[in-house]
Structures are given as C-alpha cells and as structure tokens.
Amino acid sequence: MKPYRINELASKYVEYDMIQTYTELPAFPDPRLRLLHAVLNEHGALAPKSELYSLVVSLVQLGMDTHDLIDTEENRRSEKEMRARQLKVLAGDYFSSRFYSLLSQAGQISMISKISTAVCEVNRLKMDLYIKMQQSKLKAEDYLNKLTRLKSEMFQLFAEMMEGAFVKLWPEMLQDVSRCEAVLDEMERFDSSSRFYQSWAYWHVMQEGTPDEQQRLADKPEPSLIYDLLGKYELQSRLVSKLKHAADNLRSTAAKLESDQLKKVVQDLADSFLEKMAAHTSA
C-alpha cells in the first residue's frame, strides 16, 4: 500500500502566504481521504490512481467547504473583513478548478464528469438543507443525517468502482467516518454562541425545549443560556453517544476486512475520533 501523503501533496495548492495571512480555511477532510486512499489501494486497477483521485477530491471538497465559510450577511465590513471574504471566494474557486487540470493532464476525462456530477448533487443537498433551516422544519436527527450525507456525497462517487466485499463495505465505512466527523464538528459548536445557532444542539432544543427557551434561542442566545441548555438537555453526552456508536460500527466493519493494512487504517480512524472526543469533553 502506498503511504498516505495527500495533505502533503495538497499543500502545494493550499499554502499561500496571502491566504494564510488574511483569512482562514476549513479543516482538511483528512479522515475521509485516509479511508478513500486506503480502499483504492486495495483495488488493483484503481491503486495506481489512488493518490491522484484522493488529491483531486480533497481539493474539490476543500473548495466547497471554503465557499461555505463565506459570510452572506449584508452588513458593513472593515477592509480586513472584506479582504478575507474576497480571498475565501477566490481560494474556493481556485481549489475547485484544480481538479480539471490535474485530471485532464492525466487523461482522466471521464472522472471529470463524475466529479462534476457529484458537485452538483452536493449543491442540491445544501440547498435542500438551507431551505429547511430557513423554514424551521428540521428535526435534530434529520439535520445530523443531512450533514453526514453532505460530507460523504463527494466520496460516494467511488462506490460504482468498488469490487467484491467493498461494494457493501465502502458505503458503510464512508457513512460512519462522515458521521463521526459531523458529530465532532457539532461538539465544537458548543464553544461559540454565534456557531451554536442552527447547530444540532439548537435544533434539538427547538424540538424538545420550552416555548420560552425556543424564543430565547431564536434571539441570539447568551453564553449563559447555552451553558444551561447543555446541562438540562445533556447535549454533549447525547453527541458523545452518537460518536461512540459510529466509531463502534467502524471497528466492527474493520473486523470484516481481509487486508491487515486496511484494517489498521480503519481501526486507527475509529480510535482517532474517540481520542478527539475525549480531548474535547475533558476541555
């Protein structure tokens, strides 16, 4: 199996001084990429292209995630804020465009079409989610399921290329890895009152909370209110349970794998999610 170095390869396109100085980028989708790279290496015909496919998917995903960070509110911004916003737009466009040139140079024209189709589907899913959020028609579990699918959709395009046991195991592993990532993201949103808005915890309280709590949440909640709600509705422990369940599923799937190398990659991913969860809860 080729060693994993996708983040190193992607740094060539990501680490620009202008971007690092004036704006922030989203987290690199490392767990999903580690899984993809390892699984592709188990397929004889796909193994030689494991790095190329993983790299282009990383850049497309990073481009879409960067665009998601763009502030769409029509407020007055400082020059620094405007520059950061403009750089997010440009950076997202640049990352997304690189997959065309990388694949065309490698003669992988059909893969360009597949990735473009996947991007369209991701955007459709985002619009569906945003509309339901605006209409306040979301249940907390539905929200988390949609987030999980958004994270997995770009990687799901490889399902039709899988062979043997991976026809069934690839979607299962991808689902569990994406859900772990989604849950960890939601746990981090506890730390900020601005990010708490329309998070999984927000939708849970809007579903289960009192009318007074729901009203106070809709009016930009104070940190003290969020702290009280975290305890009253055991929001952190609920997410911990969801993450442990997904990580356990991932370990169970790993036990079914024939390749010891791939089994280790998947088990290490499950362990890393639990370690991150423990670090966050202890903090």
Side-chain angles (χ1 to χ4, degrees):
M1 180 183 289
K2 293 181 181 178
Y4 175 82
R5 60 188 189 114
I6 305 306
N7 45 6
E8 177 185 340
L9 295 173
S11 65
K12 168 183 177 180
Y13 306 99
V14 175
E15 294 180 357
Y16 286 97
D17 291 342
M18 183 71 74
I19 294 175
Q20 295 182 342
T21 301
Y22 293 105
T23 193
E24 295 182 0
L25 294 178
F28 195 68
D30 194 67
R32 281 164 284 164
L33 289 169
R34 286 184 182 275
L35 179 65
L36 174 64
H37 181 263
V39 170
L40 291 179
N41 273 317
E42 293 297 320
H43 288 71
L46 297 175
K49 304 179 183 67
S50 61
E51 281 193 344
L52 173 63
Y53 289 169
S54 300
L55 174 60
V56 296
V57 168
S58 76
L59 294 174
V60 174
Q61 186 68 59
L62 190 61
M64 292 190 295
D65 292 346
T66 301
H67 281 159
D68 287 343
L69 295 179
I70 297 171
D71 182 8
T72 57
E73 293 185 7
E74 298 181 0
N75 298 328
R76 291 183 62 85
R77 300 179 179 87
S78 66
E79 181 178 348
K80 182 177 180 180
E81 290 171 334
M82 283 295 297
R83 181 176 296 176
R85 187 177 188 276
Q86 291 168 351
L87 279 172
K88 281 188 175 69
V89 174
L90 294 174
D93 290 346
Y94 174 70
F95 300 150
S96 298
S97 69
R98 293 308 299 166
F99 87 89
Y100 286 102
S101 58
L102 288 169
L103 289 174
S104 61
Q105 290 168 11
Q108 296 290 308
I109 306 304
S110 62
M111 184 57 72
I112 294 177
S113 176
K114 291 177 182 178
I115 290 180
S116 298
T117 299
V119 169
C120 290
E121 179 60 12
V122 170
N123 288 332
R124 186 193 69 79
L125 293 171
K126 285 180 182 178
M127 287 303 301
D128 177 63
L129 175 59
Y130 295 156
I131 289 171
K132 289 189 175 181
M133 291 170 72
Q134 290 175 347
Q135 296 174 341
S136 297
K137 291 183 177 180
L138 268 181
K139 302 294 185 182
E141 189 61 22
D142 185 34
Y143 167 80
L144 191 58
N145 289 338
K146 289 181 180 297
L147 281 189
T148 300
R149 186 175 175 190
L150 278 171
K151 287 184 177 296
S152 65
E153 189 65 29
M154 179 56 58
F155 296 76
Q156 187 59 36
L157 71 91
F158 293 95
E160 64 186 58
M161 305 179 193
M162 298 296 168
E163 301 173 350
F166 290 107
V167 172
K168 181 175 184 294
L169 296 180
W170 168 248
E172 292 179 0
M173 292 188 292
L174 179 60
Q175 163 82 9
D176 290 328
V177 168
S178 300
R179 189 165 178 90
C180 285
E181 285 192 77
V183 171
L184 282 173
D185 288 347
E186 291 303 301
M187 291 178 71
E188 291 177 358
R189 295 180 69 169
F190 291 159
D191 302 330
S192 168
S193 56
S194 61
R195 294 195 67 213
F196 189 89
Y197 180 65
Q198 293 191 332
S199 65
W200 172 87
Y202 170 91
W203 294 114
H204 181 85
V205 176
M206 294 301 283
Q207 179 180 337
E208 304 292 341
T210 66
D212 178 62
E213 291 167 340
Q214 294 169 356
Q215 181 60 49
R216 293 173 68 190
L217 270 187
D219 297 331
K220 293 187 178 180
E222 295 294 326
S224 58
L225 173 62
I226 294 175
Y227 180 81
D228 291 341
L229 294 174
L230 287 175
K232 178 178 179 180
Y233 293 100
E234 301 179 323
L235 298 174
Q236 181 162 274
S237 64
R238 290 175 185 272
L239 285 182
V240 165
S241 178
K242 293 178 184 296
L243 192 144
K244 286 182 176 178
H245 181 71
D248 286 343
N249 285 344
L250 199 55
R251 282 174 165 164
S252 297
T253 304
K256 304 174 186 177
L257 299 169
E258 295 182 0
S259 167
D260 289 338
Q261 288 182 308
L262 179 56
K263 185 180 297 186
K264 185 177 187 307
V265 170
V266 178
Q267 290 175 336
D268 286 348
L269 282 173
D271 291 342
S272 70
F273 287 129
L274 293 174
E275 289 169 3
K276 291 176 183 176
M277 177 200 71
H280 187 274
T281 54
S282 63

